[in-house]
Amino acid sequence: MTRDADVIESAIRRRRAVRAFRPDPVDTALVERLIDLAAQAPSGTNMQPWKLRVIGPQSRTKLEAALIAALDDPTFEAAEEYRYYPERFREPYLSRRRKVGWDLYRLLGVAKGDTEGMKRQSAANLRFFDAPVAMMLTIDRDLEIGSWLDLGMFIQTLLIAAQAREAAKDVAIA
């Protein structure tokens, strides 16, 4: 395999759902380059239906405060505009979901039934897990499943491109 292929394979294998980040700043030029690379993802009839916003520090502070306030408001009722999960889980998906959830919370020191611990973890999510760069991706409401698939490919390409930067440091030059 070529070094490029090794880097790509390493990036894909290393991809993880990270819930903690180093505070190191990320160069704006790198963020722009990663977004440009992600925009090369396949898109039906090249619609590129995604809208991406990189959230700057002031906007981020306001957004996080509003999200945490909603989390802390007992009268706030969250409503999903689109259903992400099925109404009822069946096997093998139920067991897989429970296992990953229990494993994650155990690693975080949150025991089953620890509502305060779960709330702390939800708050961390609403603070983007303190990532040095926050992004918001949206899609117009009237678009259909193909556009959602295009959005997913854009996101995956963005994640692999970012991970490849780290992987390239560790792949030996042949």
Side-chain angles (χ1 to χ4, degrees), residues 12 23 62 67 96 117 160:
I12 292 168
K62 289 178 187 174
L67 292 169
R96 290 176 187 166
I160 291 172

Side-chain angles (χ1 to χ4, degrees), residues 19-83:
R19 290 176 176 83
F21 294 88
R22 295 187 312 244
D24 309 354
V26 177
D27 182 42
T28 302
L30 174 58
V31 173
E32 290 171 356
R33 182 173 174 86
L34 295 173
I35 292 168
D36 180 61
L37 283 168
Q40 305 307 306
S43 169
T45 65
N46 201 34
M47 282 179 41
Q48 299 181 338
W50 49 81
K51 295 179 184 177
L52 180 138
R53 290 162 185 85
V54 178
I55 304 170
Q58 290 178 340
S59 297
R60 181 174 171 165
T61 299
K62 289 178 187 174
L63 176 60
E64 289 174 2
L67 292 169
I68 299 297
L71 179 67
D72 290 338
D73 181 356
T75 64
F76 179 78
E77 291 186 32
E80 292 181 335
E81 190 167 346
Y82 304 100
R83 195 167 47 237

Side-chain angles (χ1 to χ4, degrees), residues 76-89 97 125 141 148:
F76 179 78
E77 291 186 32
E80 292 181 335
E81 190 167 346
Y82 304 100
R83 195 167 47 237
Y84 187 91
Y85 296 112
E87 285 184 38
R88 291 190 329 201
F89 280 93
R97 184 169 194 250
N125 190 347
R141 287 179 173 93
W148 285 90

